Amino acid sequence: MVTVRKWTGWEADLLREAKKMSIRGFAGYLGVSESVVMQWKQRGATLIPVAESQQILDTALGRCSDAERAAFSELISATGPPGETAAGDGHPAGRIPDLPSGLVVRQMPTEVAASQDRWRAARRYLNGHREQLSRAAAGLYDPALRVAGTPLLTTPGWMPAEPVPIDRIRLVWTDDDADVLVSGSEPEAQATHPLRAPGLRFDRYTMAIRYIDSPTLFENRPSYRLSRVQWKGDEGELTFGLGTYFDKLDVCEAIGHEFAAVSLERPAELASPAPRLWGHLPLRRLVADPFDPTLRAVTPAITTLLIRRRRDGTATFLLHWRDPAKVATAGGLYDTIPAGEFQPGSIMSAKSPEDFDLWRNIVRELNEELLGAPEFDGSRSRPLAYEKWPLFRALEGARREGRLKVFCFGIGIDALTLAATIPSALVIDDEVFDQLFGEIAESNAEGVTVTHWDGQDTSEGIPFTHQNITRFISNEPMAPPGAACLALAWKHREILLAR
C-alpha cells in the first residue's frame, strides 16, 4: 500500500479525479463536507489541508486500488498546479516524470498493513455470513429468549403478549443522557480496532470502517436512545433520550466483528458456541445483560413488515435485499420493508412531537424505500411539515378509515451484534397501496426490492403463506429482525388481517 504526506488542495482534487468521483461523492467517501472539497479544488496548490485532513487523504490513498493509485500518479506527473502553463505550448506545467517537490511516497509499515488486512478479512466475513453467524451467536443465550426460534432475542418485559396498535404506544422524552458503561473504547474492544500507525490503533470501530472499508451510506446522525420499556395489556410506554448512530455501531458492530473473527479462527466450535467461545469474547462479556440500557447505548431501528391485504382474504408481503456495498449493517441479507433507524428528520426537531413519533418515522422510510425518494437524513434546519406532505396526509386518511393499520410487536435484540430493533407490521388494503405507491422502486440507496423471486413476478408482493414464511425464516439469508417480523405476523395473522 502507498501513503502520501504533505498534501495540497491540488493533489487532493487529483485523487478525486483518479477515483472518478463527483465532489459530493468524494466528500461522502472521505467523511468531510462538500465545502471542504470545494476549497481544495478552488485553492489548488495554494492550500495545504490541516493535519486531520492530511491523515484522511493519506488513508484514502492507501485504500485505493492499484489502478486508482496508478491513475493518481499519472495525473500528478502529467499535470502541474492550477494556473501554471508551460511556456509556448499551452500545456500544463509540471509534466515531469518525478513527483512534485514536497510529495513523499512510502510504503505503509508492514505491521499496520497486516493489522488492517486481518481486520478487513474479519469485517468482510461478518458481512458475508451474517445469517449463519447470527444463528450461531444465538446459541450463546438461553433458547427461551429467542423470538419464535429466530436469532432475535427478547425478554418478557420487552415483548407484549399480542401486537399493540402503534397509536396505543406512548413515547416519553428524557434529557437524562447519563454515560453508558460500555462505549466500545474499552481495552476489551481493542482487538476489533486495527492499527492506523505503528503502535497506534483506531480509537473507535466506526473510524476503522470509515477509513478501511466504508460503505456508500455511512453518516453519524442523531438517533433516539432507548432508556425504559413498559408494556401493560394492549398499551405501551417507551422512554427515549438522544444519542447518535455511531454510538450504536461502535459497540454493536464491534461485538459482531469480534464473533466473526473468533469464528474464522475456530470454525469447528460454532456448532456449540456457548461453552467454548465465551472465553474468547471479552467485549460481548462486558454487555452481560443485553436488555440493560445502562450498559450500552440502545438506539433501535424500526423494522416493519408491509402486508398488502386483499379483498378475497389473501395477502402478500414485501421484502428488501440489503446491498453490503451500500450499508453498514445487515448487508447481504433479506429484510422487511420499510426498515430504518429511529431518528429525527431534522437537526432541530429531536424533541418535537412531529418527529419523535414511530409512525412518522415509518412513513419517511416508506417514502424512501418504496418511492425511491431521497432520505430525510436529519440534516434539515427545519422540521418536516408532515401535515402539508401529500403522502403523509393520504396515509393518515387511510388509517382513520381503517384501510391501514400499524402494530408493534415489542423490542428485540440481534443475537450477533446486540443491536436493538422495534419489530412492527403495517397492513394496508391492496387498492390503497396501488393508489399511493403504484409501481414500487426496484432499487434504492440501501439495496434492491424483491420484485422477482423464485422465478415469479413478486412486484405486488410475495404470497403471505406458511410455506413462504417458513422458507424465508429457515432457508434464506434473512436479517433476524425481519425473520422475527415474519414469524410474529404469521402467529398473529388473525389480529393483523381482521377488517
Side-chain angles (χ1 to χ4, degrees), residues 2-14:
V2 178
T3 57
V4 177
R5 293 294 181 267
K6 199 174 180 180
W7 289 81
T8 68
W10 166 63
E11 293 146 1
D13 197 50
L14 292 185

Side-chain angles (χ1 to χ4, degrees), residues 108 162 188 258 269 468:
M108 179 180 286
E162 292 185 347
E188 290 84 350
E258 177 186 64
E269 298 182 10
N468 286 339

Side-chain angles (χ1 to χ4, degrees), residues 363-421:
V363 173
R364 297 203 310 266
E365 293 294 334
L366 284 169
N367 185 54
E368 175 198 351
E369 296 182 14
L370 294 187
L371 298 179
E375 184 175 6
F376 294 103
D377 60 5
S379 62
R380 291 168 171 255
S381 60
R382 294 183 179 181
L384 175 63
Y386 289 91
E387 301 305 329
K388 296 181 180 179
W389 184 13
L391 176 62
F392 180 77
R393 292 204 314 269
L395 289 168
E396 275 289 86
R399 279 184 75 195
R400 288 192 298 269
E401 294 166 2
R403 297 189 295 164
L404 182 156
K405 299 185 292 184
V406 190
F407 297 88
C408 178
F409 294 120
I411 299 177
I413 300 289
D414 178 6
L416 175 60
T417 63
L418 304 187
T421 192

Side-chain angles (χ1 to χ4, degrees), residues 76 214 220 348:
I76 286 286
S214 182
N220 192 16
M348 304 297 291

Side-chain angles (χ1 to χ4, degrees), residues 174-312:
T174 177
D175 287 315
D176 180 11
D177 58 351
D179 290 340
V180 292
L181 297 179
V182 182
S183 66
S185 61
E186 295 74 21
E188 290 84 350
Q190 292 303 297
T192 67
H193 298 176
L195 293 173
R196 59 179 177 82
L200 296 174
R201 294 186 178 273
F202 287 100
D203 58 358
R204 291 184 293 151
Y205 189 79
T206 50
M207 293 292 285
I209 294 178
R210 168 164 285 169
Y211 293 125
I212 299 177
D213 197 31
S214 182
T216 303
L217 293 177
F218 195 65
E219 300 178 21
N220 192 16
R221 301 174 183 173
S223 295
Y224 292 113
R225 174 180 158 188
L226 182 70
S227 62
R228 187 169 179 266
V229 181
Q230 186 175 19
W231 300 105
K232 187 175 181 181
D234 62 351
E235 295 183 345
E237 182 176 287
L238 306 177
T239 303
F240 291 91
L242 196 60
T244 71
Y245 180 52
F246 282 9
D247 290 343
K248 174 182 188 172
L249 298 193
D250 281 329
V251 176
C252 294
E253 282 298 290
I255 285 175
H257 185 111
E258 177 186 64
F259 192 82
V262 171
S263 300
L264 273 173
E265 296 172 359
R266 303 167 179 271
E269 298 182 10
L270 285 183
S272 55
R276 300 186 180 188
L277 293 186
W278 270 116
H280 304 283
L281 304 171
L283 180 57
R284 184 179 292 268
R285 292 201 307 271
L286 285 185
V287 188
D289 180 359
F291 305 104
D292 183 351
T294 67
L295 289 179
R296 72 191 188 290
V298 178
T299 57
I302 303 177
T303 302
T304 306
L305 174 66
L306 191 151
I307 301 174
R308 297 180 62 167
R309 180 176 58 181
R310 294 171 170 162
R311 288 186 177 276
D312 63 4

